[in-house]
Amino acid sequence: MIASTARPYLTVPRLARIPWLIHGFGTRHWKLSDFRKRAGWENFKIVWLKQVHTDRVHFIEAAPNRRLQGDALATDEPGIFLIMKTADCLPVFLVDRSKRVIAAVHCGWRGTRHRILEHVVDGLHARYGCRPPSLLAALGPCIGAPCYEVGNDVRGEYRAAGLAEDVFRPIAGRPGKYLFDLREANRRQLIGAGLDARSVLDVPLCTHCDARLHSYRRDRDTTARLFNFIGRLP
Ligand SMILES: [Zn+2]
């Protein structure tokens, strides 16, 4: 999947062709104040969460007047931008084209271990009647497997949760250390939840390698975040 690079955020062509949808995976050049500067976007409400690495999903009917805690947002209401902030974690968008339902999800290793994407797909079905084979998903930039070293603790938690362990590749000469494929772990979770593999789209950039993107592991900056957004036009 080829992503546009000329803009301060990256888009997925199959989502960009949906006339009622706006979406983007932000680069470091895309700031919160930029949302107000785009023609036609001025009146969008912006909703983001205190992200806490859980599997908690919030279904939004109107912009809340307090900051909610959780790691996924879904809505069928137009005029609301769902925002997920990331800096190495994987941002995922889900779209039901016929029901005009959208979701944004924050998938770090903990949320993935808690099967957040499975819970979001189940929630979209329960709440809006979205059938998993009808959903499109887009996986944004995240830290790539060659750059994401983890220890036995992380692998052990995945094993305890009954998740596949072949997303961990041992590092030669470094016992107890693995390269973890966060993107693949989440891609499988979507397919396991009933999505068609051809409907799982990708912006396969590594935040750690690509200087346009924020990376917590590279920059050690606890505040810099990428703003990933999806919304329905009124
Ligand atoms: Zn990398």
Side-chain angles (χ1 to χ4, degrees), residues 54-103:
T54 60
D55 59 355
R56 179 120 192 244
V57 190
H58 290 279
F59 301 95
I60 302 295
E61 291 174 354
N65 51 19
R66 65 190 173 88
R67 183 63 44 83
L68 304 170
Q69 283 197 21
D71 294 276
L73 287 163
T75 194
D76 62 353
E77 289 291 327
I80 297 174
F81 277 131
L82 309 178
I83 306 232
M84 281 298 141
K85 295 169 288 173
T86 54
D88 289 339
C89 290
L90 174 70
V92 176
F93 300 144
L94 292 163
V95 177
D96 185 314
R97 281 165 293 180
S98 59
K99 293 187 182 296
R100 300 198 175 188
V101 171
I102 55 174

Side-chain angles (χ1 to χ4, degrees), residues 142-148 205-210 218:
C142 73
I143 189 164
C147 296
Y148 196 7
L205 297 176
C206 174
T207 46
H208 197 268
C209 291
D210 193 317
R218 181 189 62 218

Side-chain angles (χ1 to χ4, degrees), residues 4-227:
S4 153
T5 52
R7 304 169 81 178
Y9 51 83
L10 307 163
T11 57
V12 178
R14 272 177 74 190
L15 296 191
R17 287 200 290 272
I18 300 172
W20 49 268
L21 189 73
I22 298 175
H23 78 288
F25 294 106
T27 72
R28 62 167 66 240
H29 304 296
W30 181 250
K31 308 207 164 39
L32 269 184
S33 55
D34 293 330
F35 284 98
R36 300 273 170 249
K37 297 176 189 163
R38 297 264 159 171
W41 297 15
E42 303 90 342
N43 295 321
F44 268 79
K45 301 273 195 308
I46 289 176
V47 179
W48 74 87
L49 298 169
K50 181 177 189 336
Q51 296 172 198
V52 284
H53 297 279
T54 60
D55 59 355
R56 179 120 192 244
V57 190
H58 290 279
F59 301 95
I60 302 295
E61 291 174 354
N65 51 19
R66 65 190 173 88
R67 183 63 44 83
L68 304 170
Q69 283 197 21
D71 294 276
L73 287 163
T75 194
D76 62 353
E77 289 291 327
I80 297 174
F81 277 131
L82 309 178
I83 306 232
M84 281 298 141
K85 295 169 288 173
T86 54
D88 289 339
C89 290
L90 174 70
V92 176
F93 300 144
L94 292 163
V95 177
D96 185 314
R97 281 165 293 180
S98 59
K99 293 187 182 296
R100 300 198 175 188
V101 171
I102 55 174
V105 191
H106 164 235
C107 307
W109 74 260
R110 290 185 183 85
T112 306
R113 188 270 317 270
H114 290 306
R115 302 172 189 262
I116 186 166
L117 282 175
E118 286 182 27
H119 294 155
V120 172
V121 172
D122 288 350
L124 294 178
H125 184 251
R127 179 86 174 206
Y128 306 110
C130 301
R131 292 175 54 253
S134 303
L135 294 172
L136 279 178
L139 280 56
C142 73
I143 189 164
C147 296
Y148 196 7
E149 181 182 315
V150 300
N152 264 328
D153 50 338
V154 175
R155 187 166 187 251
E157 289 207 31
Y158 273 64
R159 180 188 300 127
L163 290 161
E165 290 178 58
D166 60 346
V167 290
F168 296 89
R169 198 152 46 84
I171 302 176
R174 304 194 54 208
K177 297 291 182 191
Y178 304 88
L179 296 175
F180 173 45
D181 196 335
L182 179 67
R183 176 180 302 278
E184 177 62 15
N186 281 286
R187 200 182 66 81
R188 287 186 196 181
Q189 215 165 96
L190 287 169
I191 291 164
L195 273 75
D196 188 318
R198 291 165 301 181
S199 301
V200 181
L201 315 170
D202 238 343
V203 179
L205 297 176
C206 174
T207 46
H208 197 268
C209 291
D210 193 317
R212 292 170 297 170
L213 306 170
H214 289 304
S215 168
Y216 175 73
R217 285 212 170 195
R218 181 189 62 218
D219 305 331
R220 297 287 160 195
D221 184 332
T222 55
T223 58
R225 292 290 181 270
L226 303 166
F227 294 102

